[in-house]
């Protein structure tokens, strides 16, 4: 099957609003809009009662006032935790949002989305399936479908089987030798890479093979300009105040 046309912007805000708001919160989406960034990346996983919600780590400790593995908590329990005060007192009361509430807000704000499937340990397949089905439902009427991605091949394969029509990107740290087989099996449109492990020849090889490239996490404007000059399609950044549609004119 032919990959869908790529219709995503060059700048993507990492974890919703980068370092300008507590990560993976609705408040981050407002920061993206404020800095004229048209797309956000965020991390989605399942609560113990299978509600897709946003959180980066396996545990809630770093980014909330709770403790322990997120996998053990129901969404009702997760929703009681404060996910903003750790970042700044002015964000007290911010919650770990459901994927549904994030979808609604992204659509209302006209933000495009890269939904990174970040399973709790051992829940790769079911997280891929449930997040993909949720994205299908929540973005059904949106003009542009979200880009799904994951470091987990198992999760991304499950997402492909559940929602083959949604575009997918495979996430890697360094590009492994067998990357081509992996992205072919998953019918990916894009390869998502750590920018520090990249050079112009590698970007050219990925383009030659027909794949778009997204790089993370680029916080230096000159580095972002170099990567775009090499042919990188999207820059995922924490510093949307420095790297945005105004500063990265392409
Ligand atoms: O999707 C790009 C980037 O978010 C991957 O790393 O750990 O921030 O989810 P991480
Ligand atoms: Mg991520």
């Amino acid at each position: 099957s032919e990959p869908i046309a790529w219709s995503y912007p060059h700048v993507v805000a990492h974890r919703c609003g980068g370092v300008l708001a507590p990560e993976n919160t609705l408040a981050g989406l407002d920061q993206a809009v404020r800095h004229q960034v048209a797309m956000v990346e965020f991390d989605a996983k399942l609560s113990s009662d299978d509600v897709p919600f946003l959180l980066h780590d396996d545990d809630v400790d770093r980014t909330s006032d709770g403790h322990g593995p997120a996998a053990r908590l129901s969404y009702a329990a997760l929703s009681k935790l404060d996910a903003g005060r750790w970042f700044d007192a002015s964000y007290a009361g911010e919650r770990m949002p459901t994927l549904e509430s994030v979808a609604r807000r992204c659509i209302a704000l006209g933000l495009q989305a890269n939904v990174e499937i970040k399973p709790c340990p051992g829940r790769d397949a079911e997280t891929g399936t449930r997040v993909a089905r949720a994205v299908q439902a929540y973005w059904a009427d949106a003009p542009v479908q979200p880009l799904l991605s994951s470091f987990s091949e198992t999760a991304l394969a499950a997402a492909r089987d559940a929602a083959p029509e949604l575009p997918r990107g495979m996430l890697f740290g360094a590009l492994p030798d067998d990357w081509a087989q992996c992205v072919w099996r998953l019918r990916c449109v894009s390869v998502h890479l750590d920018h520090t492990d990249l050079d112009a020849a590698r970007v050219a090889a990925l383009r030659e093979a027909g794949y778009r490239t997204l790089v993370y996490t680029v916080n230096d404007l000159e580095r972002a300009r170099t990567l775009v000059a090499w042919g990188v399609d999207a820059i995922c950044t924490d510093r949307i105040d420095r790297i945005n549609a105004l500063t990265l004119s392409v």
Side-chain angles (χ1 to χ4, degrees):
S1 60
E2 285 297 303
I4 65 142
W6 179 269
S7 47
Y8 302 112
H10 288 282
V11 183
V12 180
H14 187 222
R15 306 185 191 173
C16 291
V19 293
L20 303 182
E23 64 185 61
N24 288 313
T25 64
L26 295 177
L29 304 179
D30 296 331
Q31 287 293 343
V33 171
R34 183 165 159 238
H35 291 278
Q36 308 190 43
V37 169
M39 183 162 179
V40 292
E41 180 267 1
F42 46 79
D43 307 293
K45 51 173 45 71
L46 301 176
S47 63
S48 67
D49 53 344
D50 294 333
V51 177
F53 74 102
L54 268 53
L55 177 67
H56 180 274
D57 299 356
D58 293 340
D59 297 332
V60 299
D61 301 58
R62 182 178 60 87
T63 56
S64 84
D65 58 352
H67 301 289
R72 289 206 203 123
L73 300 172
S74 66
Y75 188 71
L78 289 161
S79 72
K80 291 190 180 77
L81 301 179
D82 188 304
R85 187 182 280 281
W86 69 274
F87 180 85
D88 190 273
S90 63
Y91 286 99
E94 205 62 40
R95 303 291 154 189
M96 284 176 242
T98 61
L99 180 60
E100 183 171 16
S101 67
V102 171
R104 254 196 247 112
R105 190 73 71 88
C106 282
I107 292 165
L109 295 171
L111 281 171
Q112 294 180 47
N114 171 199
V115 181
E116 185 191 335
I117 305 167
K118 192 82 114 183
C120 291
R123 300 200 70 189
D124 296 59
E126 56 192 320
T127 306
T129 301
R130 286 183 187 273
V131 169
R133 288 200 183 125
V135 167
Q136 263 181 333
Y138 305 151
W139 274 271
D141 301 322
V144 180
Q145 297 302 293
L147 177 61
L148 302 182
S149 64
S150 191
F151 285 106
S152 165
E153 207 179 323
T154 302
L156 214 51
R160 174 203 59 201
D161 294 344
E165 78 287 2
L166 292 177
R168 284 172 301 283
M170 187 68 208
L171 262 163
F172 297 109
L175 197 64
D177 290 338
D178 66 345
W179 68 268
Q181 295 95 305
C182 175
V183 296
W184 169 252
R185 276 196 302 273
L186 294 165
R187 300 298 187 273
C188 291
V189 298
S190 53
V191 178
H192 299 198
L193 294 163
D194 182 339
H195 80 96
T196 58
D197 183 57
L198 210 54
D199 57 34
R202 193 149 260 187
V203 174
L206 287 158
R207 280 178 78 90
E208 189 69 19
Y211 297 105
R212 302 291 185 144
T213 49
L214 177 149
V215 293
Y216 66 88
T217 304
V218 183
N219 294 329
D220 178 79
L221 179 58
E222 279 316 306
R223 178 64 175 169
R225 287 184 172 141
T226 298
L227 289 158
V228 169
W230 289 349
V232 163
D233 295 283
I235 305 285
C236 188
T237 180
D238 282 326
R239 294 305 302 263
I240 52 176
D241 51 337
R242 289 181 194 153
I243 302 173
N244 54 52
L246 297 177
T247 61
L248 193 76
S249 40
V250 280

